[in-house]
């Protein structure tokens, strides 16, 4: 399980919000002490994260721990009330979701959110939308710049569909795909935005063991071939322990443990959070 | 630099393609106008040609409303307000240009007189004014969804109506118009509650159908472009759209401005056809007529909305003097038969059931209508008197039989392709029922493997798990 252990991360035992909780020299994503409350409920507080460029990190925790809320904070769906977030050295807290997508963060959703009535191809083409300039004049009069850009988007989308083996279904509505293909299409769509960091929200939910193994390989190939960093939320401990380099554990909105899989696995606080107090 | 940017820079075409597209646009616009003016119009006769002109204007308004309600999925019910703004602006420009003596006398034979040039300028001004109003409605729409947005747009239409009621009375006398000081033009003399009348009849078939062709081509280009996909993505799932980098603010406002501007264009022609504009033309009844067409045709479908506009327009006219529907019923049955016969995605039993259903529906509708006609003849009343009831019944039956609208979100020219694809799929997987739900159709044959099918990698770098 611990074959991804890296020496420079083992020193880090202290949980909690102090800056630089992970000793990564230049983090791709760095969140420091972010938090949000809904009324009296502190959904997430003092969350600090650091994902290195091309890193593959996990965010785990029991149900209701605030994992998806943390994703929503990172992607700008909610505005963080405390703390700061930087992506590739640029402050992104306070930006709106589409600006964060443009800055280089893409995500998938826990309950798949494809554009169901649009074709598989159009879903991916929409992902590439954010990298283009779309003027009304260009669209209505089909200027050379517009034509070139539409061609580029089409070529890029077809290439991505080829990579994910979805090309043969490019013209079908996304909602007609089988579940596993929909999950992969969501990843393809996110990659079309040319992200630096990809957030995957429970990518293995509802998959059988074989599909999960395939997913693990997919994620590892993603980093290799697209050079993206990955931060994933996952309930399947086997998968998380297998592929993640660092894991952050949330419980009741707070970080209770952070470190390499081997460390997290044996932390009494994590075991307590998942199984309840001993005795 | 992004991959898209690099690809764009690398494959930049010359202006030739743009010139060709623009030539096609101009050709289609002028060609449609010419065919309607010199072929269809004379063949149809004077009264049907007037009906065609009215339908053309309604079609412009409905196709433009489709951008907001269909593509973007925002439920606007104030579209008539934009039409009215364009109508007042276009009508006033050409009326006062005429009475101030800028354009010379009206020439009923000409198609491109100075008056027409001013009319076209007025149409552009009307489109601009409506577009500006669309911007103002688009902004609050960002924070509102569903019913709440509908109420705001409804309110907008009513505000427009009341504002036009508050304008000054129209200056009919050219001498008085020329003598009017600058301050006399504010508030604008648009006729107040009486409405603006005596507009010069520049609304020929040619111009109306040229404008319709322009609207349709632009809506088509929009729908199948990156901007169009952004509109559609907002309709499908706003949260996913913004997470993928779609600027919701920009695209919602863009949809409203564009739809309003095209509606204003249609409105300007409405003024020149109807020769009068009333404040109530901005009211919600007119808006609802447009919404009915859009919903009936299929939200998001250009050809569906065109079909619905012409179908409903034709239906209301035909119901004035209904003829026997047996021939039409037979044609409809034959069409259904042909479509069912070429479908290969269903077996013969399913085909039989589909044919039986079609026969039943068409037969019952035809029988009911013929019975009604016979009853009316026996009782000696005219079907014309219950025209609106029949119209409503027709709407209800279409919505019951096809709740997604005539064409759904698809387009007429895409339907054959969709049927072909279903055929190909059926050929690749002869029996879809035996394949498990998680098993994509014919995984090994088509190379669709991976997570969905649980098939191991095809080998090489070909496919991902």
């Amino acid at each position: 399980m611990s074959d991804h252990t890296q020496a420079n991360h083992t020193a880090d035992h202290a949980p909690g919000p102090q800056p630089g909780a992970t000793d990564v020299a230049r983090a791709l994503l760095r969140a420091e002490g972010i938090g949000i409350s809904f009324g009296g409920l502190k959904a997430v507080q003092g969350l600090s994260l650091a994902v290195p460029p091309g890193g593959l990190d996990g965010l785990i925790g029991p149900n209701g721990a605030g994992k998806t809320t943390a994703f929503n904070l990172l992607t700008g769906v909610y505005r963080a009330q405390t703390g700061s977030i930087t992506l590739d050295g640029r402050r992104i807290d306070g930006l709106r979701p589409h600006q964060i997508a443009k800055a280089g963060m893409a995500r998938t959703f826990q309950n798949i959110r494809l554009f169901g009535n649009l074709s598989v191809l159009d879903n991916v083409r929409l992902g590439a939308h954010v990298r283009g300039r779309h003027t009304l004049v260009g669209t209505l009069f089909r200027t050379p710049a517009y034509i070139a850009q539409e061609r580029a988007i089409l070529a890029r989308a077809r290439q991505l569909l080829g990579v994910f083996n979805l090309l043969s279904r490019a013209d079908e509505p996304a909602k007609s795909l089988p579940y596993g293909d929909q999950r992969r299409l969501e990843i393809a769509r996110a990659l079309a935005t040319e992200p630096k960091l990809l957030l995957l929200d429970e990518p293995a939910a509802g998959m059988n063991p074989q599909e999960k193994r395939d997913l693990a390989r997919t994620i590892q190939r993603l980093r290799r071939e697209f050079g993206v960093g990955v931060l994933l939320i996952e309930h399947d401990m086997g998968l998380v322990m297998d592929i993640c380099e660092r894991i952050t554990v949330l419980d009741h909105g707070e970080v209770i443990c952070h470190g390499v899989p081997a460390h997290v696995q044996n932390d009494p606080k994590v075991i307590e959070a998942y199984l309840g107090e001993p005795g | 630099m992004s991959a898209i940017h690099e690809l764009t820079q690398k494959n930049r075409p010359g202006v030739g393609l743009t010139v060709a597209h623009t030539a096609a646009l101009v050709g289609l616009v002028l060609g449609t106008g010419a065919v309607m003016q010199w072929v269809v119009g004379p063949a149809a006769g004077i009264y049907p040609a007037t009906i065609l002109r009215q339908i053309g204007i309604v079609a412009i308004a409905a196709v433009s409303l489709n951008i907001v309600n269909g593509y973007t999925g925002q439920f606007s019910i104030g579209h008539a307000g934009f039409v009215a703004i364009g109508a007042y602006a276009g009508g006033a420009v050409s009326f006062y240009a005429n009475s101030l003596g800028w354009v010379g006398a009206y020439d009923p034979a000409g198609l491109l007189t100075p008056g027409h040039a001013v009319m076209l300028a007025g149409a552009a001004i009307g489109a601009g004014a409506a577009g500006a109003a669309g911007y103002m409605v688009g902004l609050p729409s960002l924070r509102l969804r569903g019913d709440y947005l509908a109420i705001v747009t409804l309110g907008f239409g009513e505000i427009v109506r009341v504002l036009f009621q508050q304008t000054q009375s129209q200056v009919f006398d050219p001498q008085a118009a020329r003598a009017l000081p600058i301050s006399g033009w504010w508030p604008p003399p648009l006729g107040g509650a009486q409405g603006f009348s005596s507009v010069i009849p520049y609304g020929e078939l040619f111009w109306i159908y040229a404008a319709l062709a322009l609207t349709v081509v632009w809506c088509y280009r929009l729908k199948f472009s990156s901007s169009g996909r952004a509109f559609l993505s907002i309709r499908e799932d706003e949260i996913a759209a913004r997470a993928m980098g779609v600027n919701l603010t920009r695209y919602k406002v863009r949809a409203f401005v564009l739809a309003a501007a095209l509606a204003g264009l249609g409105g300007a022609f409405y003024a020149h056809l109807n020769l009068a504009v009333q404040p109530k033309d901005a009211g919600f009844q007119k808006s609802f007529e447009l919404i009915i067409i859009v919903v009936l045709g299929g939200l998001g479908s250009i050809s569906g909305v065109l079909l619905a506009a012409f179908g409903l327009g034709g239906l209301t006219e035909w119901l004035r003097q209904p003829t026997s529907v047996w021939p039409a019923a037979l044609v409809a049955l034959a069409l259904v038969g042909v479509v069912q016969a070429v479908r290969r995605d269903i077996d013969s039993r399913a085909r039989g059931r589909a044919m039986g259903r079609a026969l039943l529906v068409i037969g019952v509708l035809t029988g009911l209508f013929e019975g009604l006609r016979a009853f009316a003849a026996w009782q000696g009343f005219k079907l014309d008197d219950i025209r609106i009831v029949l119209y409503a019944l027709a709407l209800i039956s279409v919505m019951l039989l096809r709740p997604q609208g005539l064409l759904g979100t698809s387009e007429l020219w895409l339907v054959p392709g969709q049927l072909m694809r279903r055929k190909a799929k059926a050929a690749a997987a002869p029996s879809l029922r035996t394949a498990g739900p998680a098993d994509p159709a014919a995984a090994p044959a088509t190379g669709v493997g991976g997570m969905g099918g649980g098939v191991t990698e095809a080998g090489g770098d070909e496919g991902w798990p």
Side-chain angles (χ1 to χ4, degrees):
Chain A
M1 284 275 185
S2 57
D3 42 290
H4 291 288
T5 307
Q6 289 170 14
N8 56 336
H9 299 301
T10 47
D12 176 35
H13 280 225
Q18 65 265 54
T22 308
D23 47 346
V24 180
R26 195 179 130 295
L28 172 62
L29 172 76
R30 187 186 293 280
E32 283 178 11
I34 57 171
I36 188 172
S37 314
F38 301 110
L41 177 73
K42 289 172 178 157
V44 170
Q45 51 177 327
L47 170 66
S48 294
L49 276 172
V51 181
L56 173 43
D57 288 20
L59 183 63
I60 64 171
N63 287 327
K67 304 181 295 292
T68 297
T69 306
F71 265 27
N72 285 338
L73 285 172
L74 293 175
T75 53
V77 176
Y78 303 139
R79 187 164 291 202
Q81 290 160 348
T82 60
S84 69
I85 309 165
T86 52
L87 182 70
D88 211 18
R90 179 182 164 203
R91 281 287 288 267
I92 57 165
D93 50 302
L95 293 187
R96 286 154 67 205
H98 71 267
Q99 294 168 317
I100 292 178
K102 185 148 196 174
M105 190 171 351
R107 71 175 292 185
T108 65
F109 293 89
Q110 186 175 352
N111 42 346
I112 300 172
R113 282 182 177 274
L114 288 169
F115 306 119
N117 290 313
L118 302 194
S119 71
V120 168
L121 179 67
D122 280 352
N123 268 273
V124 181
R125 280 204 278 189
L126 188 95
H129 176 92
V130 68
R131 296 293 159 216
R133 286 188 67 239
H134 311 283
T135 63
L136 213 47
V137 171
T139 307
L140 297 183
F141 294 96
R142 297 206 165 152
T143 56
Y146 165 82
I147 294 171
Q149 185 172 284
E150 290 292 299
R151 283 179 180 169
I153 289 174
L154 178 65
R156 173 83 178 147
R158 292 188 68 85
Q159 180 199 350
L160 275 168
L161 284 179
V163 163
F164 281 85
N165 235 339
L166 288 165
L167 208 47
S168 59
R169 318 193 70 154
D171 293 329
E172 293 175 36
K175 65 182 176 189
S176 73
L177 291 187
Y179 184 80
D181 284 353
Q182 290 196 12
R183 284 241 174 251
R184 288 190 303 158
L185 176 57
E186 225 192 1
I187 296 176
R189 182 181 69 177
L191 280 176
T193 68
E194 300 182 35
K196 297 171 185 141
L197 179 72
L198 185 60
L199 306 187
L200 302 174
D201 198 345
E202 295 201 29
M207 288 186 175
N208 64 34
Q210 174 62 43
E211 289 173 339
K212 281 177 187 169
R213 277 193 293 279
D214 290 340
L215 176 73
R217 277 188 296 166
T218 303
I219 294 173
Q220 279 164 337
R221 275 183 74 173
L222 278 184
R223 328 168 39 198
R224 215 165 50 235
E225 294 183 16
F226 290 86
V228 292
V230 178
L231 178 64
L232 75 131
I233 292 177
E234 189 45 69
H235 272 302
D236 186 278
M237 285 306 136
L239 182 75
V240 173
M241 297 297 164
D242 253 0
I243 65 173
C244 289
E245 292 159 351
R246 284 157 301 274
I247 293 172
T248 303
V249 188
L250 274 182
D251 191 25
H252 297 298
E254 290 182 72
V255 177
I256 58 167
C257 180
H258 173 86
V260 297
H263 164 70
V264 168
Q265 242 170 342
N266 298 316
D267 191 303
K269 280 193 201 155
V270 177
I271 296 167
E272 188 192 310
Y274 271 93
L275 299 177
E277 279 177 62
Chain B
M1 272 297 109
S2 72
I4 293 298
H5 187 79
E6 272 172 36
L7 274 170
T8 306
Q9 292 306 323
K10 221 164 43 188
N11 302 319
R12 209 178 162 106
V15 290
L17 212 49
T18 301
V19 171
H21 279 303
T22 307
L25 170 67
V26 172
L28 201 66
V29 166
L30 297 182
T32 309
V35 167
M36 292 307 290
Q37 177 75 25
W38 290 298
V39 181
V40 177
I46 291 176
Y47 178 70
T50 306
I51 301 297
L52 275 177
R53 289 197 282 169
Q54 278 167 359
I55 295 177
I57 287 165
V58 170
I60 294 174
V63 169
S64 64
L65 176 64
N66 201 16
I67 298 173
V68 172
N69 286 33
Y71 302 178
T72 319
Q74 308 297 303
F75 201 71
S76 162
I77 49 178
H79 207 56
F82 301 121
V83 178
I85 289 174
Y88 269 99
V93 166
S94 76
F95 176 82
Y96 284 113
N98 190 280
S99 59
L100 291 176
W102 294 350
V103 295
Y106 169 65
D107 170 17
L111 263 189
L112 192 54
T113 61
H116 282 93
V118 170
M119 181 273 286
L120 291 178
I125 291 170
Y135 183 77
M136 289 192 294
V137 183
L139 277 183
S141 83
L142 306 169
R143 305 182 138 265
L144 300 171
R145 266 177 228 176
D147 312 351
Y148 303 100
L149 174 65
I151 290 167
V152 166
T153 53
L154 182 74
F156 165 76
E158 293 303 301
I159 289 170
V160 170
R161 184 175 67 81
V162 172
L163 282 181
F164 280 128
Q165 276 177 0
Q166 302 305 317
T167 52
Q168 287 189 46
S169 53
Q170 191 174 351
V171 183
F172 286 101
D173 181 14
Q175 298 294 334
R178 272 180 222 133
L180 212 57
I182 299 288
S183 61
W185 292 92
W186 190 263
L190 295 176
Q194 287 179 323
F196 191 83
S197 57
S198 305
V199 182
I200 297 105
Y202 291 125
E204 286 95 357
L205 266 177
F206 179 87
W207 291 112
I208 290 173
Y209 276 84
L212 176 60
L214 182 73
T215 306
V216 168
V217 172
W218 273 357
C219 284
Y220 165 80
R221 287 186 176 180
L222 198 65
K223 184 177 174 183
F224 297 96
S225 73
S226 279
S227 295
R229 279 189 292 277
F231 290 147
L232 294 167
S233 75
I234 293 173
R235 175 187 76 192
E236 294 290 311
D237 191 329
E238 278 194 17
I239 291 172
R242 64 181 185 175
M244 291 303 121
V246 173
N247 185 342
L248 295 186
T249 312
R250 176 181 299 163
Y251 281 96
K252 282 186 184 176
V253 169
R254 200 177 262 196
F256 265 101
V257 169
L258 206 64
L262 291 173
L265 180 72
F269 289 105
Y270 173 80
H272 289 93
L273 168 65
N274 210 33
L275 309 186
V277 195
Q278 308 283 328
K280 71 171 163 50
D281 287 334
F284 69 92
Q285 273 192 324
K286 295 275 182 180
S287 293
F288 272 97
E289 283 171 20
L290 298 175
I291 287 172
I292 287 171
I293 292 170
V294 171
V295 172
L296 199 68
L299 285 164
S301 169
I302 302 167
S303 42
V305 170
L306 281 177
L307 265 182
F310 282 88
L312 279 185
L315 180 73
T316 44
E317 282 309 311
W318 174 77
L319 279 174
R320 288 184 195 277
Q321 275 180 320
T323 48
S324 176
V325 291
W326 282 114
L330 289 179
V331 170
L333 259 185
L335 277 177
V336 172
V338 168
V339 169
Q340 295 297 337
V342 299
R343 276 176 74 173
R344 295 224 194 103
D345 55 326
I346 53 176
D347 57 19
S348 55
R349 273 183 57 199
R351 188 174 297 136
R353 272 199 303 275
M355 275 306 289
R357 249 195 329 266
L359 190 66
L360 186 73
V361 167
I362 293 174
V364 165
L365 287 178
T366 311
L368 276 177
F369 190 78
E370 290 294 336
L372 188 66
R373 244 165 53 91
F375 181 73
W378 176 49
Q379 287 289 313
F381 71 87
K382 282 197 295 190
L383 281 183
D384 191 19
D385 300 337
I386 55 166
R387 187 164 69 97
I388 299 304
V389 177
L390 293 178
Y391 176 82
L393 278 176
L395 286 183
I396 292 170
S397 43
V398 172
M399 287 331 284
L400 283 177
L401 295 171
R402 259 193 96 69
Q404 71 273 51
L406 291 175
L407 287 181
T409 55
S410 186
E411 297 290 353
L412 210 51
W413 60 88
L414 294 177
V415 171
Q418 282 162 354
L419 277 176
M420 295 297 285
R421 254 203 310 287
R422 279 207 294 207
K423 249 196 256 180
K425 231 171 100 181
S431 174
L432 287 169
R433 287 209 189 104
T434 54
D439 192 13
T446 53
V448 182
M451 280 154 28
V455 182
T456 45
E457 250 180 284
D461 263 15
E462 279 295 302
W464 279 40

